[in-house]
Amino acid sequence: MIPGYGKAEALERARSLARRGDDEGARLAYVDVLRGDPTHFDALNELGTLALAGGYRSAARSAYTQAVQHHPGNPVGHVNLANVMREDNDLAGARRHYEAALAADPDLPEAHQGLSAVLSEFGLDGAEEHRRRGFSARPLVTRPYRGTAAAVPLLLLVSARGGNIPTQLWIDDRRFTIHALYPEYFDPNAPLPAHAVAVNAVGDADLCALALTRAEALLAGDRAPLINAPARVRPTGRAENARRLAAIPGVIAPRIEVLPKTALAAAAAHLEFPLLLRSVGFHTGRHFVLVAERQDLERAAASLAGDELLAIEYLDARGEDGKARKYRIMFIDGVAYPLHLAISSDWKVHYFSADMAHEARFREEERRFLNDMRTVLGARAMRALEGIADTLGLQYAGVDFALAPDGSVLVFEANATMVVFPPAPDPMWDYRRPAIETVLGAARRMLDKYAVSHSLGN
């Protein structure tokens, strides 16, 4: 530790730097505390939180893991570690730590919130009760402001059920005081906190219909600029969106039917196989299967969560090499930005499970896409993507798609719930970092523009 500083003084110095938004100075100060006491809970926990705020999930997970190992009875460490595990799709690990937190503190709201999300992902009972216990007493949370200049107040609407836009990397808590509001539990007669700009982060129209309806009512008459109005998000459910986007020249969207499980047997006669079967409101490929033959339908449906399923026309996204490709483009304030290209041997393509880490030629193909999107995709696809952006009408959204042989866009998904996260620190991914930072920078500039427009209007 710094000569002349005791442990408490060194910790307060680190906290002071963090409050001022000096992340690197704070990081070094927390490390200094840990040199003197490698098991110090607050230093480990707060270092993890600092790393997570900067998008360094691996470093955050490491710090939280050490905090839990050294302090297994502290519920806060378990919750923070579980939150990172959930982001990393380690749901079983997250569940263990949320339950450990509740064993130590049965009333901890954040543990109930996290456990409700995990149980929902698993399709298990109990999610609604944990959600009620986690959010009903705290429907409005003001997050700590870490800047030195005057803070800009921001209203962030988020659904207690999940399905929200990830915003932590483009809504800067060193510029904005963030008032996070959960519409499902907020009193509709209570006044909204003062704000210069509002961001509706409720993005999954299938999962969050109630949150969108209540958010729209809460914002009625609000004069602050609004990003992603709930009324524009509502039509982006998978089935309705596919119908809307199919009308755009150069777009191929799958036929999608929303069917109760009880009606599948009767519907099977008119369904075409192979088809995709998906539970409503799930992401990252969970509860999502390919059904090859009609006789496999009943067994596949029984394996999926929920009472309603999406029967989705299978669009073959394989190229001449037999690999499936999924491009992702972000639409930020009306401008298209390339984000990634995932190439996989599997029909279910996600970047985290694709073949990108193992194949240099795939990374080179992605690099070309990121550096010259218009040439790679071609004029027909670019016109189709412009039509998709216009139809969505959202300030923050994205589209996952493949290219048909004639240059048309095969749409998999187009909505606001698109994740933008920096890649792992391995130099192998350095070619991706400029594109990701360009998207995040565009989102930050958009937010600043809206906030400034409000202050000028007043």
Side-chain angles (χ1 to χ4, degrees):
M1 286 187 290
I2 295 175
Y5 274 75
K7 190 185 300 182
E9 292 170 306
L11 181 63
E12 182 50 40
R13 176 174 175 272
R15 287 170 169 169
S16 177
L17 291 166
R19 284 193 296 269
R20 296 204 302 269
D22 183 353
D23 289 0
E24 180 59 17
R27 184 188 69 82
L28 294 173
Y30 282 122
V31 170
D32 189 53
V33 174
L34 292 169
R35 286 197 187 99
D37 180 1
T39 71
H40 195 290
F41 177 81
D42 287 340
L44 288 167
N45 184 62
E46 292 168 28
L47 180 61
T49 301
L50 188 72
L52 191 61
Y56 303 105
R57 295 209 311 280
S58 178
R61 183 165 178 160
S62 177
Y64 290 145
T65 297
Q66 292 180 60
V68 167
Q69 287 174 346
H70 295 302
H71 304 272
N74 191 315
V76 173
H78 284 287
V79 168
N80 286 336
L81 177 56
N83 288 341
V84 178
M85 286 179 160
R86 183 156 59 91
E87 285 188 4
D88 289 340
N89 210 32
D90 181 0
L91 297 182
R95 182 180 181 180
R96 287 196 304 272
H97 286 284
Y98 287 131
E99 290 175 341
L102 289 173
D105 182 354
D107 297 319
L108 188 62
E110 292 82 1
H112 284 291
Q113 292 170 9
L115 188 54
S116 74
V118 169
L119 293 177
S120 292
E121 285 291 321
F122 281 128
L124 298 175
D125 293 336
E128 190 60 44
E129 175 59 17
H130 283 290
R131 192 175 297 121
R132 183 192 64 78
R133 294 185 67 179
F135 290 100
S136 59
R138 300 181 63 193
L140 178 64
V141 178
T142 298
R143 301 174 185 172
Y145 174 64
R146 301 192 307 121
T148 55
V152 178
L154 180 147
L155 179 64
L156 182 68
L157 294 105
V158 282
S159 172
R161 293 181 61 85
N164 297 300
I165 302 168
T167 62
Q168 60 266 39
L169 294 183
W170 55 275
I171 300 182
D172 191 348
D173 61 2
R174 292 167 295 188
R175 173 160 168 69
F176 297 94
T177 294
I178 302 166
H179 303 290
L181 184 151
Y182 298 91
E184 299 100 320
Y185 294 95
F186 188 78
D187 181 354
N189 297 312
L192 297 175
H195 55 281
V197 62
V199 177
N200 171 44
V202 183
D204 189 327
D206 290 323
L207 179 66
C208 306
L210 176 62
L212 288 169
T213 297
R214 294 192 175 177
E216 187 171 7
L218 287 169
L219 294 169
D222 189 57
R223 298 179 59 190
L226 172 60
I227 291 171
N228 279 17
R232 291 187 178 272
V233 174
R234 189 177 295 108
T236 63
R238 290 182 187 270
E240 184 173 354
N241 226 19
R243 287 192 292 272
R244 293 196 303 161
L245 300 183
I248 299 170
V251 171
I252 302 171
R255 296 186 301 274
I256 300 178
E257 290 189 55
V258 183
L259 295 170
K261 278 186 177 179
T262 54
L264 272 178
H270 74 265
L271 295 174
E272 295 183 11
F273 293 83
L275 63 74
L276 305 177
L277 209 58
R278 184 171 204 147
S279 297
V280 175
F282 289 88
H283 297 268
T284 65
R286 195 171 298 278
H287 298 288
F288 185 29
V289 296
L290 173 67
V291 184
E293 304 287 347
R294 185 169 279 104
Q295 61 264 28
D296 300 328
L297 184 62
E298 185 176 349
R299 178 177 51 82
S303 72
L304 300 177
D307 297 324
E308 281 191 334
L309 299 176
L310 301 174
I312 305 172
E313 177 189 7
Y314 173 68
L315 298 180
D316 192 343
R318 290 174 297 180
E320 293 181 356
D321 59 358
K323 301 289 185 178
R325 283 162 172 78
K326 184 168 76 172
Y327 298 86
R328 176 170 292 183
I329 282 178
M330 299 299 297
F331 302 123
I332 309 296
D333 212 18
V335 178
Y337 298 91
L339 186 68
H340 67 229
L341 163 62
I343 304 174
S344 176
S345 302
D346 193 2
W347 67 268
K348 189 190 295 186
V349 188
H350 292 93
Y351 204 95
F352 62 83
S353 62
D355 301 331
M356 306 304 291
H358 311 295
E359 293 283 356
R361 61 194 174 99
F362 293 164
R363 296 194 295 275
E364 174 59 23
E365 185 175 340
E366 182 185 29
R367 185 195 65 77
R368 291 196 299 271
F369 165 63
L370 296 177
N371 290 346
D372 193 0
M373 171 180 67
R374 292 183 175 275
T375 298
V376 168
L377 297 182
R380 181 175 177 82
M382 289 306 303
R383 287 193 297 271
L385 291 166
E386 290 169 4
I388 292 172
D390 290 343
T391 299
L392 294 176
L394 297 168
Q395 292 91 347
Y396 180 100
V399 56
D400 286 343
F401 64 96
L403 286 179
D406 69 350
S408 296
V409 168
L410 279 67
V411 173
F412 301 134
E413 183 177 4
N415 54 44
T417 57
M418 297 289 174
V419 178
V420 181
F421 277 134
D426 192 311
M428 172 173 63
W429 305 115
D430 285 351
Y431 73 95
R432 296 185 58 210
R433 300 183 205 284
I436 291 169
E437 186 50 44
T438 296
V439 170
L440 294 172
R444 295 180 193 118
R445 290 191 299 275
M446 170 187 67
L447 192 56
D448 279 343
K449 182 186 79 172
Y450 279 78
V452 168
S453 70
H454 179 74
S455 64
L456 292 175
N458 286 317

